Amino acid sequence: MFGPGFGKSLANAAKATPGRNEIIVRELNAAAMEGDDERVKKLLGQLLTSRNRRKTDKLREQLSALEELFYAMRIMAVTDELTGVYNRRGFEWMAGRLLRNLCRERRGALLMYIDVDDLKAANDTLGHGAGDRLLVAAAGALRSACEESAVIGRIGGDEFALVARQTSAESYDLLRQRIRSAVATCNASGQVPALSLSVGVADFDPLRPASILSLMDRADRAMYQEKLRKLLPTHRTRVALGEGNC
């Protein structure tokens, strides 16, 4: 989860001082996957000091540098380089943690699956630079529309997903309207090509919890239903008359 070089470095460390270190490396990998930062820090310290009983200033400096490298590699491993939001791995990990917390608190959530409309057409007619600008604009619109606690990720290609807390019965309508406003603001600034999003939603019920993958599947299917509706003549007429469109 933290990049191909990290696992190799840990394996080399284990080989250098076998036995106990091999156990530490296995525990460290498990703690990393669980996102247990305190245990990661403790295990890194054990690994570094295993051949030296005393924790000298030099070893403390090395441990600090190793911690910084570890966390930097973790960020790189879970972040989409183009847009700055989570990649699929990071989204599933962080969204899963958020849903588990909300389940314990008996609080609901919304999972939205979002598709950037006509990205392929933009790539084919205006070049991949234009497509990249659309993706960056989409990520920016979603970030500006969501609360800080929301988890946003680029799932792949032209698709994004987000999980947000559901604080009231109107949460979906309010979030959808904020996304529309963010898209409108983006397009008003002269975004070329214009940004348009199709959105599907799935509700998370803490009393009947579903997995993150199940919620993504439901929201994905709802999103494609919206894309089909956009092909209807009545939808094109409403857009021509100036009604809002994500």
Side-chain angles (χ1 to χ4, degrees):
M1 178 159 194
F2 298 90
F6 184 73
K8 185 176 181 181
S9 298
L10 292 181
N12 289 339
K15 290 177 182 178
T17 52
R20 174 59 183 161
N21 277 7
E22 294 177 355
I23 298 174
I24 294 175
V25 168
R26 287 197 296 270
E27 293 179 356
L28 181 55
N29 282 329
M33 291 296 293
E34 295 168 3
D36 189 342
D37 288 351
E38 287 303 314
R39 183 153 178 74
V40 164
K41 183 175 180 179
K42 179 181 177 180
L43 290 168
L44 284 173
Q46 291 178 12
L47 188 63
L48 190 62
T49 60
S50 60
R51 289 190 295 178
N52 193 324
R53 296 284 183 180
R54 294 192 308 160
K55 209 172 194 180
T56 64
D57 289 341
K58 182 65 174 177
L59 282 174
R60 289 191 181 92
E61 291 177 8
Q62 291 174 342
L63 177 58
S64 178
L66 187 58
E67 288 172 5
E68 290 182 10
L69 176 62
F70 183 89
Y71 294 127
M73 292 180 72
R74 179 169 70 180
I75 291 172
M76 290 173 60
V78 300
T79 302
D80 179 62
E81 183 177 2
L82 175 65
T83 63
V85 300
Y86 288 112
N87 58 21
R88 183 176 188 121
R89 177 187 298 158
F91 174 79
E92 291 180 2
W93 178 43
M94 293 301 296
R97 290 183 66 183
L98 175 58
L99 291 181
R100 288 191 293 273
N101 290 338
L102 292 176
C103 195
R104 286 193 293 269
E105 299 169 6
R106 295 294 189 268
R107 298 178 63 182
L110 299 168
L111 187 146
M112 287 185 169
Y113 209 97
I114 303 108
D115 183 84
V116 179
D117 295 331
D118 301 322
L119 179 66
K120 184 178 186 304
N123 285 332
D124 291 346
T125 59
L126 300 173
H128 286 274
D132 287 350
R133 289 194 298 273
L134 270 180
L135 293 169
V136 171
L142 296 175
R143 275 195 297 258
S144 66
C146 291
E147 301 289 342
E148 188 174 347
S149 61
V151 178
I152 305 170
R154 182 182 172 201
I155 304 306
D158 55 1
E159 296 178 334
F160 292 81
L162 69 86
V163 171
R165 298 172 185 267
Q166 189 171 19
T167 56
S168 71
E170 294 78 30
S171 291
Y172 169 70
D173 291 333
L174 292 173
L175 180 55
R176 184 67 182 262
Q177 183 54 49
R178 289 199 298 268
I179 293 175
R180 285 195 184 101
S181 297
V183 169
T185 299
C186 175
N187 289 333
S189 68
Q191 166 71 33
V192 178
L195 177 63
S196 175
L197 305 177
S198 294
V199 180
V201 66
D203 292 312
F204 173 77
D205 182 351
L207 301 180
R208 293 182 297 176
S211 71
I212 185 68
L213 294 179
S214 175
L215 292 170
M216 289 171 66
D217 180 65
R218 283 162 46 194
D220 185 23
R221 285 186 275 118
M223 181 270 292
Y224 273 103
Q225 289 300 313
E226 174 163 316
K227 290 187 79 71
L228 291 175
R229 284 195 294 273
K230 287 184 175 182
L231 299 176
L232 298 175
T234 52
H235 182 274
R236 291 196 292 269
T237 300
R238 289 199 301 272
V239 173
L241 291 174
E243 292 190 19
N245 181 37
C246 274

